[in-house]
Amino acid sequence: MGANSSSISELPENEYLQKLSGSEPISENDPFWNQLLSFSFTTPTNSADLKLLEEATISVCKSLVEKNPRTGNLGSLIKVFLSRTKELKISAECQNHLFIWQAHNALFIICCLLKVFISRMSEEELQLHFTYEEKAGPSSYGTECEDLIEELLCCLIQLIVEIPLLYPCQHTDSNWWKWLCSWYRGRYSGGVTSALGDITYSISLEAVTTLIVFLSCQLFHKEILRESIIHRYLMHGRCLPYTSRLVKTLLYNFIRQERSPPPGTHVFQQQTDGGGLLYGIASGVATGLWTVFTLGGVGSKASAQLEQCSPLASQSLLLLLVLANLTDAPDIPNPYRQAIMSFKNTQDNTAFSSSNPHAFQINFNSLYTALCEQQKSDQATLLLYMLLHQNSNMRTYVLARTDIENLVLPILEILYHVEERNSHHVYMALIILLILTEDDGFNRSIHEVILKNITWYAERVLTEISLGSLLILVVIRTIQYNMTRTRDKYLHTNCLAALANMSAQFRSLHQYAAQRIISLFSLLSKKHNKVLEQATQSLRGSLGSNDSPLPDYAQDLNVIEEVIRMMLEIINSCLTNSLHHNPNLVYALLYKRDLFEQFRTHPSFQDIMQNIDLVISFFSSRLEQAGAELSVERVLEIIKQGAVALPKDRLRKFPELKFKYVEEEQPEEFFIPYVWSLVYNSAVALYWNPRDIQLFTMDSG
């Protein structure tokens, strides 16, 4: 096999892999590493290829797990990788242009090995594999026991925050970058960013992916990890000073949404002058791990999914979510969450708080635009939730935007297509709306934004409607869906809370929105009557029989009456605060006034029904005085005139309806499994055997 490995099935017999996982220690200075790392391939991206790759190399990994404590070859590989990256970043006079290529290949192998190691052993066992020291003879490890885990983690973070991607103008102060630019200008007609950018894109993606793999030990534990060796490294020591730069870089990767280079574009071309010793080794006899093995091949068509998105942006966002949701250390709060909570706009000139060393600045306009454009994914919605909930600077900025519809419409579309979304995504979208509706300015402004032709709303053609009315329609539709399908109490509660927050600022409600408010009340009324009837029949049927317990209709009735009460309060709030702005709601109320008769004397609703009953009676009287067979236009005209004439002091004042979102205690019990389910289902070039996953069930994502 050796240099001619051309299929995945032949990888276990590859001579270089066999030597890596064999019984003989390999010094980090051995020429073997040049041969092992001189391969060209397209990193596999779909789960089928990744599964094949893992299955084909599992025997190699098992052998390495068994023999590495005696050989230390994993440590040697990591040291080779570290030396490549150090020479890449430090030596401006370096004449070997294959360092970045070999660094990428070394990191890919390390990532594959780590994934297997972490899935099969505890963190303590993993740490032992990183602390090997050669006992006798000349040793490249030296006499000091270096902490390779910390050094590797720190190196990965440095690669992410320091390596130039496709923006050379931002890195002109870097000597090694200047040298690489100069070298590439003479060899690629496509320019520096088209050639060097492709390989730096790949190694940046691989560094992000490897950090995710390092943190993936959580996947193999049912309980939330509150103390972790890897977490400790990331929150202390050499990694800690990079916190804000790492968070900022990951956010900018998400913002930029750079597409991945086409497969094979970063493969090094042979030069006529021979290109040096290492280049000759790589190209002359096609040595290496996978010279022909490409999983797609040089020049082959990339998957449709990757054509439409940025793997680096997606992977960076996943890593950011994982880091932000790490549990606090015993002696320090999660610094990555602190960074997310405190970053400011680049236009904000106020001083940073001395209490948070991880604060930084970022372009809020660019971040806002990216958030608006990416809301189809769970992870982008989760990021938006985190920023609105935790970062007061970002929340203030979002609420001040004059184009808020660009953010709200994608959120409404998530809720509208509730049948196609997972429950967590729907829940996050709804919480975002609830947070936004806590602001009175938002509640007023959404009724001033007029939308044209909402094509995704299928129940009715909406040629013109305010953003506020559309929001009401979608939330009510979500409530109705929940009543008939999922019956999630928390979903109900948050939907109603959002409507309640908006109710005092309802303005110029679209006639269809007004109808749907009353229709929802009608549906609740029918459900209330049905449960009452079932309870009565059950009670009658059980008289004289003690064999079976009665169903708990009282609990069902109590839940329905709570929802009815909330709907009455929402209607009452609108009538009390903005009746003259909402003739369509008064019209719908009058049209269905019989619905409210049964609740007029009900002890649970008597107080709140007073205002509604007064409004119905007042406007009914004015309509009767106007005569019979009135047109819709004439009825609305009478309502508008009556709204001015109705004495406001006759309406009883109730406490303002205001609800605020508060995370439940121990939110990590929800968010950590959720985030890792997103990683499991969405991460690029990562595959885990579903049988090994302990943190969540396979349908939780």
Side-chain angles (χ1 to χ4, degrees):
M1 272 292 306
N4 298 315
S5 296
S6 58
S7 69
I8 299 176
S9 61
E10 296 172 341
L11 288 176
E13 283 73 46
N14 182 278
E15 62 178 290
Y16 300 102
L17 288 177
Q18 287 185 335
K19 184 172 181 179
L20 175 66
S21 61
S23 302
E24 294 297 320
I26 307 172
S27 164
E28 65 190 81
N29 298 317
D30 196 303
F32 162 81
W33 300 111
N34 292 330
Q35 298 169 326
L36 175 72
L37 301 179
S38 298
F39 61 88
S40 302
F41 74 105
T42 299
T43 303
T45 55
N46 65 70
S47 59
D49 284 345
L50 288 162
K51 183 179 179 181
L52 286 174
L53 175 60
E54 176 151 316
E55 291 173 348
T57 57
I58 195 68
S59 61
V60 175
C61 293
K62 285 181 178 179
S63 177
L64 188 61
V65 168
E66 177 186 346
K67 297 173 183 176
N68 184 69
R70 296 187 297 275
T71 66
N73 287 343
L74 175 63
S76 293
L77 173 60
I78 291 170
K79 283 179 172 287
V80 169
F81 166 70
L82 293 173
S83 68
R84 295 292 190 271
T85 57
K86 285 176 182 175
E87 293 189 58
L88 191 66
K89 288 183 290 186
I90 296 174
S91 177
E93 303 302 322
C94 173
Q95 296 301 307
N96 195 321
H97 50 263
L98 296 186
F99 278 134
I100 193 167
W101 177 32
Q102 292 198 343
H104 170 271
N105 291 349
L107 186 53
F108 174 76
I109 297 174
I110 290 169
C111 187
C112 291
L113 296 175
L114 277 178
K115 191 161 68 64
V116 176
F117 275 50
I118 290 171
S119 68
R120 293 175 176 270
M121 63 183 67
S122 67
E123 286 187 304
E124 291 74 18
E125 291 174 300
L126 178 68
Q127 196 171 29
L128 292 176
H129 281 273
F130 278 78
T131 55
Y132 167 85
E133 279 190 277
E134 194 171 339
K135 297 290 189 298
S139 171
S140 59
Y141 283 75
T143 57
E144 297 181 1
C145 180
E146 299 178 62
D147 196 331
L148 274 183
I149 292 184
E150 183 175 40
E151 193 169 352
L152 178 55
L153 286 170
C154 196
C155 179
L156 293 174
I157 294 173
Q158 288 172 336
L159 277 176
I160 294 168
V161 303
E162 293 179 356
I163 196 168
L165 192 54
L166 301 177
Y167 310 96
C169 61
Q170 297 181 7
H171 297 270
T172 53
D173 60 336
S174 169
N175 288 330
W176 73 276
W177 167 249
K178 287 178 181 177
W179 174 82
L180 284 173
C181 287
S182 175
W183 183 83
Y184 264 89
R185 284 193 188 99
R187 290 162 173 76
Y188 286 88
S189 59
V192 177
T193 57
S194 63
L196 184 57
D198 293 339
I199 185 63
T200 56
Y201 186 105
S202 298
I203 198 169
S204 295
L205 176 58
E206 205 63 54
V208 171
T209 301
T210 307
L211 271 181
I212 292 176
V213 168
F214 252 122
L215 291 159
S216 66
C217 52
Q218 177 64 81
L219 281 171
F220 312 106
H221 293 80
K222 290 183 179 180
E223 303 298 324
I224 302 302
L225 292 179
R226 302 188 184 277
E227 292 190 17
S228 161
I229 293 172
I230 305 302
H231 296 184
R232 189 161 62 246
Y233 281 121
L234 291 172
M235 294 188 191
H236 297 82
R238 295 170 56 190
C239 295
L240 186 61
Y242 290 95
T243 297
S244 58
R245 291 178 64 190
L246 178 58
V247 171
K248 184 175 182 177
T249 301
L250 295 175
L251 279 172
Y252 269 127
N253 286 348
F254 167 70
I255 289 169
R256 287 165 178 151
Q257 293 290 317
E258 286 293 332
R259 303 295 178 93
S260 61
T265 55
H266 61 262
V267 174
F268 284 70
Q269 305 295 321
Q270 184 171 4
Q271 303 175 72
T272 56
D273 61 1
L277 174 62
L278 282 183
Y279 195 85
I281 293 175
S283 61
V285 293
T287 58
L289 179 57
W290 295 301
T291 305
V292 186
F293 167 53
T294 61
L295 286 180
V298 176
S300 67
K301 183 174 168 52
S303 69
Q305 181 183 9
L306 287 181
E307 288 177 351
Q308 298 171 8
C309 68
S310 164
L312 180 59
S314 175
Q315 209 87 323
S316 294
L317 179 52
L318 289 171
L319 175 58
L320 181 64
L321 294 174
V322 170
L323 291 171
N325 285 281
L326 297 179
T327 56
D328 293 337
D331 58 337
I332 183 176
N334 181 344
Y336 303 96
R337 187 184 303 119
Q338 283 192 314
I340 287 176
M341 291 172 63
S342 58
F343 69 76
K344 302 191 302 183
N345 195 354
T346 49
Q347 297 179 349
D348 187 345
N349 295 320
T350 59
F352 286 111
S353 170
S354 58
S355 62
N356 188 353
H358 307 299
F360 61 91
Q361 289 180 296
I362 198 168
N363 188 310
F364 275 17
N365 181 61
S366 299
L367 179 56
Y368 178 82
T369 301
L371 288 167
C372 293
E373 293 174 349
Q374 301 299 322
Q375 283 307 305
K376 289 185 179 179
S377 74
D378 281 72
Q379 42 268 43
T381 304
L382 182 53
L383 175 63
L384 176 58
Y385 158 79
M386 286 170 47
L387 295 179
L388 289 176
H389 178 55
Q390 299 177 1
N391 189 311
S392 59
N393 300 319
M394 189 67 191
R395 181 169 61 251
T396 300
Y397 176 85
V398 168
L399 290 169
R401 292 285 301 206
T402 57
D403 60 347
I404 193 67
E405 67 274 14
N406 291 339
L407 186 69
V408 175
L409 281 173
I411 298 300
L412 295 182
E413 203 167 348
I414 293 169
L415 292 175
Y416 183 81
H417 297 292
V418 60
E419 303 93 338
E420 304 168 13
R421 305 290 181 178
N422 69 70
S423 59
H424 289 359
H425 198 187
V426 171
Y427 191 74
M428 287 297 102
L430 186 55
I431 295 302
I432 287 169
L433 287 185
L434 178 56
I435 292 172
L436 293 174
T437 61
E438 292 171 11
D439 182 76
D440 287 341
F442 171 84
N443 295 331
R444 286 190 295 271
S445 66
I446 56 176
H447 294 289
E448 298 168 1
V449 177
I450 304 302
L451 307 169
K452 307 281 188 180
N453 300 316
I454 308 301
T455 55
W456 48 262
Y457 193 93
E459 279 81 355
R460 178 166 172 156
V461 176
L462 299 175
T463 55
E464 185 174 291
I465 189 171
S466 71
L467 178 61
S469 289
L470 180 63
L471 196 159
I472 292 167
L473 286 175
V474 172
V475 171
I476 287 176
R477 185 180 183 274
T478 306
I479 294 173
Q480 291 177 323
Y481 174 85
N482 188 49
M483 287 175 63
T484 57
R485 305 283 185 86
T486 57
R487 300 184 180 183
D488 184 332
K489 181 180 179 181
Y490 292 102
L491 197 66
H492 258 14
T493 301
N494 289 305
C495 283
L496 292 168
L499 289 176
N501 283 345
M502 294 188 293
S503 59
Q505 279 84 34
F506 282 173
R507 295 289 188 277
S508 304
L509 290 184
H510 191 280
Q511 62 180 24
Y512 185 52
Q515 291 171 14
R516 298 310 297 163
I517 291 173
I518 305 303
S519 295
L520 176 58
F521 185 81
S522 175
L523 180 63
L524 291 167
S525 176
K526 291 176 182 177
K527 195 169 185 65
H528 181 265
N529 294 338
K530 182 179 180 180
V531 173
L532 271 177
E533 183 181 350
Q534 289 174 335
T536 302
Q537 290 177 352
S538 177
L539 185 61
R540 287 173 180 169
S542 65
L543 291 177
S545 174
N546 298 320
D547 295 337
S548 58
L550 285 174
D552 192 3
Y553 288 111
Q555 184 177 358
D556 291 345
L557 202 59
N558 183 55
V559 171
I560 294 171
E561 289 184 353
E562 285 181 3
V563 177
I564 290 175
R565 168 99 190 169
M566 180 70 82
M567 283 302 302
L568 289 173
E569 288 180 345
I570 290 168
I571 295 169
N572 176 72
S573 175
C574 177
L575 297 178
T576 305
N577 293 282
S578 55
L579 183 147
H580 57 292
H581 290 300
N582 293 290
N584 285 327
L585 182 62
V586 177
Y587 184 100
L589 198 64
L590 294 172
Y591 190 76
K592 293 285 189 178
R593 56 183 174 267
D594 292 344
L595 279 175
F596 299 88
E597 288 289 337
Q598 62 175 311
F599 301 107
R600 186 178 296 169
T601 58
H602 194 290
S604 299
F605 313 119
Q606 270 185 318
D607 58 337
I608 205 72
M609 276 298 302
Q610 290 179 19
N611 286 343
I612 297 172
D613 194 34
L614 187 151
V615 169
I616 291 174
S617 299
F618 177 83
F619 285 99
S620 295
S621 175
R622 294 182 74 91
L623 291 175
E624 288 173 4
Q625 293 173 15
E629 299 182 3
L630 301 173
S631 66
V632 173
E633 292 76 13
R634 178 57 182 153
V635 171
L636 287 172
E637 183 182 344
I638 294 170
I639 290 172
K640 291 175 184 178
Q641 294 170 352
V644 177
L646 177 64
K648 300 299 185 291
D649 57 359
R650 293 181 59 186
L651 295 174
R652 177 183 170 185
K653 290 292 184 182
F654 286 84
E656 185 180 13
L657 287 180
K658 273 296 173 188
F659 294 88
K660 185 176 179 63
Y661 170 70
V662 178
E663 276 188 349
E664 295 188 10
E665 292 184 12
Q666 296 185 317
E668 65 274 9
E669 297 289 343
F670 170 84
F671 285 105
I672 290 178
Y674 179 33
V675 168
W676 278 107
S677 73
L678 296 180
V679 174
Y680 177 83
N681 289 306
S682 307
V684 178
L686 280 176
Y687 167 83
W688 286 279
N689 190 324
R691 293 192 299 269
D692 296 334
I693 306 300
Q694 298 292 319
L695 181 61
F696 51 82
T697 56
M698 287 300 104
D699 59 334
S700 66

